Amino acid sequence: MGRNTRKRRIPLVTKVTAGAAALALGGGGLVWANFYASAHESGGHANQTKSRNAQVATINCPDVGQELTDVPSDARKEVAKELAQLDRQITDAYTRLAETRQAQSGDANFVANAILGPLKSKRTATLDRISIDINRAGGKAPRDFDQFAPCQGIPVEQPGGDGQDQGDGGQDGDGQDPGDGQDPGDNGNGAAGPFAEDFVDINDVQPNSRDLPNGLAADGDTGSTGSFTTRCGVNENNLFNSDNIIVAPGVGNGAHHTHDYVGNQGNTAFASDQDLANAETTCQNQSDKSTYYWPVMRLQDGSQEFDANDLGGGAEGNVGTILKASKAEIRFVGNKQGDVVAMPKFLRIITGDAKAFTNGLANANTSFSCTGFEDRQVTDKYVLCPENSQVVRTSNFQSCWDGQNADSANHRDHVAFVQADGTCPNGFQAIPQLQVRLVYDVPAPTIENGQVRNPYAVDGFPEQLHKPITDHNDFINVMDEKLMNQVVKCINSGRNCK
């Protein structure tokens, strides 16, 4: 029920026998192709390293979606479709990269001439159409927009292209990325991660050591100290799809990974605000038709899920058993400096960044912990929890609003995080902060000799290597006005309501 079964196809990880299918949301990202057929044939570790050095390549394209900060509302759907076309072009380039490894080994210029050149031409044409869409709607397209057309071919041992160790999200500098000669294994997804270095024993995490500025809890013991909890279940209706109504409205498979949904049951890429308002909800309070959604978490155990052959699932490197949260705790809290104001209906907020591995940490958020250890939070690692402790994913959303817009062109600029002292940036006002806490019963992966077996990981783009830094969470406010006013009143009066 509720599962998206559109557009079935043969998985790229099958079609391209030793590659990881890759798509990049918003027309940018790092397309990762890994070929080690010769290593499999010979079985030698040295030959494995030699094969990677000779035949592994990436395509690094500018993230066009993040550059578009001023798109008129009348142009956004058309622009979203063009951004999806950029994604498709990167995928096609990746496929060609994977299918032509013999030609690449015999011609040092093959990638530049046969893959990057045609890709640049296609991207230039698409960028031109985006400019036309923006200008036609009364906006102003970015100057020198065609500067974002070229992509780079980069060896996988230097995936960031800037000398930074990207094997672990640039966090540890331990050099243990898939290009350093180690055998990454593939967990059934074409060597798209996660890897042993992506995990940490929760006992080795220092309390209160998370140092990212994003995702601060806005509430405290001063200001507006109340809360409102909404109970919406844990996706008992099995509503899954790989759409993203916020980033890619009107585009099927706009997320390129599968989402869990609680709350609103009408959430597809093609739903209008009115469709959302008229949809059913899993929330106990039927006046809360908000949509709460996040990438599914999977156990990479070799099992075949319902989407094993689908876009967003196995066809794009997201494999294994989908793990439902045993608890999905959703609550709204206040601001430590003062009162909050009502959110506008249909306010859209994305927290975290599905491409933080290649985009950097500017928008990274969410964190992992274990029950009984929640003073220890990590953003760049999955956690290994002791016996009888469960994995916890936490998302503290942006809680400052520009007072005008329910969305923005890049889906970021209309909201902001509180500053270190709990105040909002100039021009922004405090709104209830959404906090989502997801608890999972996860079999502990085993790590031996630098290899991880049966790991868990959030869904994502294969070129992001299923890094924990890419976890994210999404929200659309579809509470009716009366309920939203009740939420605000509870928070500002210091009461804890349900």
Side-chain angles (χ1 to χ4, degrees):
M1 177 178 179
R3 295 171 177 174
N4 177 14
T5 57
R6 298 189 301 271
K7 300 182 180 178
R8 291 182 179 270
R9 69 173 184 182
I10 298 173
L12 280 177
V13 291
T14 300
K15 179 180 178 183
V16 184
T17 56
L23 287 160
L25 183 65
L30 202 65
V31 178
W32 184 65
N34 194 351
F35 317 106
Y36 36 88
S38 63
H40 288 176
E41 292 162 3
S42 66
H45 187 75
N47 286 336
Q48 211 171 46
T49 303
K50 180 179 179 182
S51 176
R52 287 198 191 101
N53 289 340
Q55 297 182 340
V56 177
T58 64
I59 298 175
N60 191 359
C61 299
D63 187 349
V64 174
Q66 291 301 307
E67 302 296 333
L68 297 175
T69 59
D70 184 18
V71 179
S73 57
D74 289 346
R76 288 183 185 173
K77 283 192 176 180
E78 291 304 315
V79 169
K81 292 178 181 178
E82 296 298 348
L83 291 175
Q85 182 63 27
L86 291 175
D87 295 340
R88 182 75 261 161
Q89 292 161 2
I90 296 173
T91 304
D92 291 344
Y94 161 79
T95 303
R96 180 150 174 74
L97 190 70
E99 292 176 340
T100 58
R101 60 185 180 88
Q102 290 185 343
Q104 294 170 43
S105 65
D107 181 357
N109 296 317
F110 182 89
V111 171
N113 294 336
I115 298 176
L116 295 181
L119 178 59
K120 177 183 176 181
S121 297
K122 292 175 182 177
R123 285 173 62 86
T124 298
T126 304
L127 294 175
D128 286 346
R129 291 194 296 271
I130 291 174
S131 295
I132 291 171
D133 289 336
I134 292 173
N135 293 334
R136 183 181 294 152
K140 188 174 182 180
R143 294 183 59 186
D144 302 321
F145 201 29
D146 58 359
Q147 68 179 300
F148 302 116
C151 300
Q152 292 180 300
I154 303 171
V156 78
E157 59 266 24
Q158 297 178 352
D162 58 4
Q164 180 186 16
D165 172 25
Q166 294 275 348
D168 57 4
Q171 298 298 294
D172 298 327
D174 59 10
Q176 299 205 9
D177 62 300
D180 66 2
Q182 70 175 18
D183 179 8
D186 68 8
N187 302 317
N189 64 6
F195 306 101
E197 71 271 12
D198 294 320
F199 290 84
V200 64
D201 190 316
I202 194 66
N203 291 293
D204 294 332
V205 177
Q206 293 300 310
N208 306 310
S209 60
R210 184 178 183 271
D211 59 0
L212 285 181
N214 300 340
L216 295 173
D219 57 325
D221 55 7
T222 59
S224 46
T225 59
S227 68
F228 181 90
T229 298
T230 184
R231 297 174 179 174
C232 303
V234 292
N235 196 12
E236 289 89 346
N237 289 346
N238 292 327
L239 178 59
F240 302 106
N241 66 44
S242 58
D243 294 346
N244 193 326
I245 189 174
I246 297 177
V247 173
V251 179
N253 190 45
H256 304 293
H257 50 262
T258 297
H259 286 129
D260 258 320
Y261 292 92
V262 301
N264 199 287
Q265 297 294 282
N267 195 330
T268 73
F270 307 96
S272 66
D273 286 350
Q274 193 60 47
D275 291 331
L276 296 177
N278 292 335
E280 295 182 355
T281 180
T282 64
C283 298
Q284 289 184 10
N285 189 324
Q286 292 291 294
S287 295
D288 184 7
K289 295 188 177 183
S290 300
T291 176
Y292 308 92
Y293 64 104
W294 48 81
V296 299
M297 195 156 75
R298 299 183 195 246
L299 181 65
Q300 294 183 356
D301 57 359
S303 67
Q304 296 289 301
E305 266 290 0
F306 73 90
D307 60 352
N309 296 320
D310 292 348
L311 292 170
E316 298 184 74
N318 295 307
V319 298
T321 301
I322 291 177
L323 300 169
K324 281 188 187 177
S326 59
K327 295 180 181 178
E329 299 175 352
I330 300 171
R331 70 174 191 150
F332 296 85
V333 300
N335 179 276
K336 66 180 63 176
Q337 293 294 338
D339 287 351
V340 298
V341 300
M343 294 178 176
K345 196 168 185 178
F346 305 118
L347 175 70
R348 287 152 160 79
I349 309 180
I350 299 171
T351 198
D353 183 358
K355 296 190 295 177
F357 179 54
T358 53
N359 278 350
L361 305 182
N363 294 312
N365 193 13
T366 77
S367 61
F368 291 85
S369 187
C370 302
T371 55
F373 298 83
E374 289 183 65
D375 59 339
R376 306 173 187 222
Q377 301 279 334
V378 287
T379 298
D380 65 328
K381 301 288 184 183
Y382 297 115
V383 289
L384 300 174
C385 299
E387 189 175 357
N388 299 321
S389 177
Q390 298 172 298
V391 172
V392 181
R393 292 167 76 184
T394 302
S395 300
N396 294 326
F397 279 65
Q398 298 91 311
S399 58
C400 300
W401 171 52
D402 68 5
Q404 299 179 13
N405 301 293
D407 198 4
S408 50
N410 62 3
H411 315 293
R412 303 276 182 186
D413 292 346
H414 63 299
V415 289
F417 290 101
V418 293
Q419 301 174 117
D421 64 356
T423 61
C424 287
N426 288 337
F428 286 75
Q429 50 193 304
I431 55 175
Q433 182 183 46
L434 171 60
Q435 299 180 344
V436 178
R437 179 178 178 267
L438 306 172
V439 181
Y440 294 84
D441 292 311
V442 180
T446 58
I447 298 177
E448 297 179 1
N449 301 318
Q451 302 294 304
V452 60
R453 303 300 179 200
N454 293 325
Y456 69 88
V458 296
D459 261 21
F461 307 113
E463 85 280 2
Q464 302 294 322
L465 307 185
H466 290 93
K467 295 291 183 181
I469 197 75
T470 65
D471 197 13
H472 55 284
N473 211 306
D474 303 78
F475 164 69
I476 303 176
N477 171 41
V478 198
M479 292 186 186
D480 66 22
E481 184 178 356
K482 182 179 179 180
L483 178 59
M484 177 53 65
N485 288 337
Q486 179 184 342
V487 171
V488 169
K489 186 176 181 179
C490 286
I491 291 172
N492 288 341
S493 64
R495 292 184 292 134
N496 296 317
C497 304
K498 297 180 180 179

